[in-house]
Amino acid sequence: MAEPQFTDAIALLKADHRKVEDLFEKFEAAKSADRKQALAHEICVELKIHTLLEEEIFYPAFRGLIEDDTLDEAYVEHDGAKVLINDIEAGSPGDAFYDAKVKVLSEEIKHHVHEEEMPSEGMFAQCRKTDVDLVALRDTMAARKKELLAKAKTDGLPAAKPTAVKLLAA
């Protein structure tokens, strides 16, 4: 299968957003535990890769060029999602709160996507107003994504690691 082509880094990230939205819809419709487990795993892998791309490559490219608060909030939103991702991956559909965790993750991601994609003041709109080369950034991100997808298939990805939130034992 040919690799998809995206016009720039933002188009690549938006395509990831659409893919995960579709996976959440499929999870909502799924009936069997096996199907839910497979979809939840795919959602978690996609989100781990997406957050790594944003945190390793995309966000740092815009630090100091767009509103710091926008970037800081994105890291914290990612960390909230990472807590749920790790919990979902450690569990199974028979566990208490499993479906609720996936639902809340979906809601968190919808909010995060809205913040990034909001016309005029959203993160992506701010990024487009800078002189960062979004095509070169896309190429760097696509190469890293390919590497992470390969790792996910062979060794699996490690647990998602929070960046901004300090997890304290309860």
Side-chain angles (χ1 to χ4, degrees):
M1 185 169 82
E3 289 185 39
Q5 296 297 311
F6 305 104
T7 54
D8 63 22
I10 292 171
L12 184 151
L13 294 174
K14 283 183 172 184
D16 283 355
H17 292 168
R18 302 296 84 79
K19 181 174 185 178
V20 171
E21 287 167 356
D22 181 57
L23 290 169
F24 278 122
E25 285 179 23
K26 288 178 179 173
F27 181 90
E28 280 288 320
K31 302 292 182 222
S32 77
D34 286 346
R35 180 76 175 135
K36 284 185 174 192
Q37 181 90 42
L39 286 165
H41 175 71
E42 190 175 353
I43 288 166
C44 291
V45 167
E46 289 292 328
L47 289 174
K48 285 199 284 189
I49 291 171
H50 184 81
T51 58
L52 284 167
L53 292 176
E54 286 186 331
E55 292 180 8
E56 290 177 359
I57 302 165
F58 192 80
Y59 294 168
F62 294 97
R63 180 63 75 183
L65 301 175
I66 67 170
E67 295 174 12
D68 280 344
D69 287 351
T70 300
L71 287 168
D72 292 348
E73 287 175 26
Y75 280 103
V76 174
E77 288 170 357
H78 278 188
D79 284 359
K82 289 173 186 178
V83 170
L84 283 171
I85 288 165
N86 291 337
D87 208 36
I88 291 164
E89 286 209 304
S92 66
D95 295 345
F97 306 110
Y98 187 83
D99 284 10
K101 290 172 187 175
V102 175
K103 177 69 173 174
V104 170
L105 178 61
S106 171
E107 291 167 354
E108 286 184 5
I109 298 304
K110 280 181 187 145
H111 169 82
H112 180 73
V113 165
H114 174 74
E115 298 270 311
E116 287 185 339
E117 295 186 7
M118 211 176 355
S120 65
E121 70 263 12
M123 180 189 292
F124 292 166
Q126 290 181 47
C127 292
R128 286 208 184 279
K129 293 174 186 168
T130 71
D131 62 358
V132 171
D133 184 342
L134 291 168
V135 173
L137 203 57
R138 170 205 64 196
D139 295 345
T140 303
M141 291 168 58
R144 179 68 170 134
K145 183 173 183 173
K146 187 175 180 180
E147 177 184 306
L148 289 167
L149 284 168
K151 182 170 177 50
K153 285 182 181 159
T154 56
D155 306 327
L157 296 172
K161 186 175 181 226
T163 303
V165 174
K166 298 191 181 357
L167 298 179
L168 302 174

